[in-house]
Amino acid sequence: MDNLHYMPRTLLSTCLLLTPLAALADSPAWNNAVNTPPSDWQGPTFELSDEYPTEMPPACTTATCPWLAIKLPDQVKSVDFNDTGVPNWSTEPVYNEYITSILNYIKQGQTMDLNNAEGLKINVDGQTRWYHIPWMAYAQKTGREFVHGLTNERTAHLSDFYGVGAPSSDTGRGFETWAVGMYNDIGAYTVGQSFNSDGKPVLETINGITSTKGMPFNEGTVVVKFLFSTVTPSDVDYLQNSPKWQANRHVETKSGFEQCSRKVQDVHLVQVDVAVVDSRSPSRWVYGTFAYINNNGKSVWDNLQPVGLQWGMDPWTFPAVPKDESITARQSVLNTSIRHYEHFGCEGRLAGPVDNKLSSCLSCHAGAYANPDDSNPQMGVTIPPIFGFDGLCEQYSQENVNYFQTTQFPQAYSGGNYPELLNLDTSLQMQIAVQEQAKYAANSPRECEE
Ligand code: HEC
């Protein structure tokens, strides 16, 4: 981690006069991980990719972002995602082409086996392709670990991996998810403008709407997230040959996970999430996901099977409307042909294998709002509820109506409850960054430090 390179050149000289160098270097915004590796650590070591482009990278072409040029079938009116037809994965191959072209972009320059030693490469063809979000190593319990920069997310159970077919040996044991996300250069151009060299969000008001500078993300933005689990191929048979990575993750005891102590242990790849800006989509985004399902493919990439795509939240489908008015979801398309254990999202919307199946990718991500002055953000009180409210996906209610509305930047969160918050254009990692910075700025007591 080197902080100086990040500063816009024009600011560099002035700031050096005003701010002692040590203060800059101390900003936890640019930390690689919660803990530094022990001095005898020989394994891979995560380094935050934070030399964000300071100019807009070359726009996408048909060759570099082929998904943007893909025309969808007639009933979806040449990629007009607003059309009312119900999309069908198996009879309309374009959805598979769309998501596969994104995966092809992502696998450029990566190893075929995604081995632990080499991890994810941020350089492709001699250029930095991938960048990380700052501040994700600040939260002590869930923040980045030092081997691959993974952060701790939702705990899954065997029932998530097997759905209705969970083995009878299921003890209800939890499996932690550890994941790392990366933004391509076009996305990183927005991220770079959004923070100061000291990690403070840079705000900008355009047409009365305040957000971080550079928002919204430009077309051509690609975001990918690799999700690993503490589950093993002996727990879940279809994870055979799944990449095994080391992670400095929570110590696991018989009674569960110790949130404040970590140890290097294995995790396996289970899911790969993608998100792209596509202005044809009513949310301006298309989210998609792959499940690792062993297919005896030649490479890891061949064993990533597409689960589906989502471009809206299906506001005409239960529980955004009462059951008797509900129509079949049509802003997600699901690959029902894969070996996939009944684990899509709420009422035909898309969610991934280790996601909450009462939710959906975009409904959760539509809650990506933040308040840079709120050092004690509370979901459902000061920031939108992204999961876990009563009756999620179960009843027609105001909260479900808000949660399952299709919105796009710069709209405020639906329902009108959070009019003042910054809209972070569906990026929940940006939300984490802004809120962690607020905790740091307020000198809030740090987790795990007593
Ligand atoms: C219940 C909430 C929830 C659901 C459902 C969910 N995510 Fe996320 N996602 C998160 C959170 C929280 C983060 C930020 C934390 C992190 O990346 O470590 C995140 C991060 C991401 C990122 C990294 C960039 C960003 O926006 O922060 C991508 C890409 C992503 N998710 C895609 C997906 C896809 C695709 C699906 C559906 C298959 C999905 N997510 C479902 C909560 C959710």
Side-chain angles (χ1 to χ4, degrees), residues 138-202:
Y138 189 66
Q140 306 255 297
K141 292 183 179 169
T142 56
R144 290 193 197 278
E145 52 78 48
F146 66 73
V147 189
H148 291 291
L150 310 179
T151 59
N152 176 226
E153 298 187 16
R154 177 175 179 269
T155 294
H157 295 88
L158 271 194
S159 54
D160 292 313
F161 294 101
Y162 281 106
V164 287
S168 53
S169 58
D170 187 358
T171 58
R173 182 178 153 211
F175 298 102
E176 283 193 326
T177 305
W178 289 82
V180 60
M182 315 190 291
Y183 284 74
N184 76 342
D185 51 355
I186 297 180
Y189 175 55
T190 293
V191 178
Q193 295 171 77
S194 293
F195 299 94
N196 246 324
S197 57
D198 58 5
K200 264 186 121 140
V202 179

Side-chain angles (χ1 to χ4, degrees), residues 136 151 153 179 181 183 223-225 271 273-275 287-289 350-352 355-356 359-361 364-365 386-387 403 426-430 432:
M136 291 189 68
T151 59
E153 298 187 16
Y183 284 74
V223 198
V224 60
K225 183 166 137 181
Q271 178 177 334
D273 285 346
V274 299
Y287 274 60
T289 192
L350 179 67
D355 293 322
N356 183 343
S359 180
S360 82
C361 311
C364 188
H365 277 265
I386 60 169
F387 54 81
Y403 195 75
T426 82
S427 174
L428 286 166
Q429 295 195 338
M430 284 290 292
I432 291 176

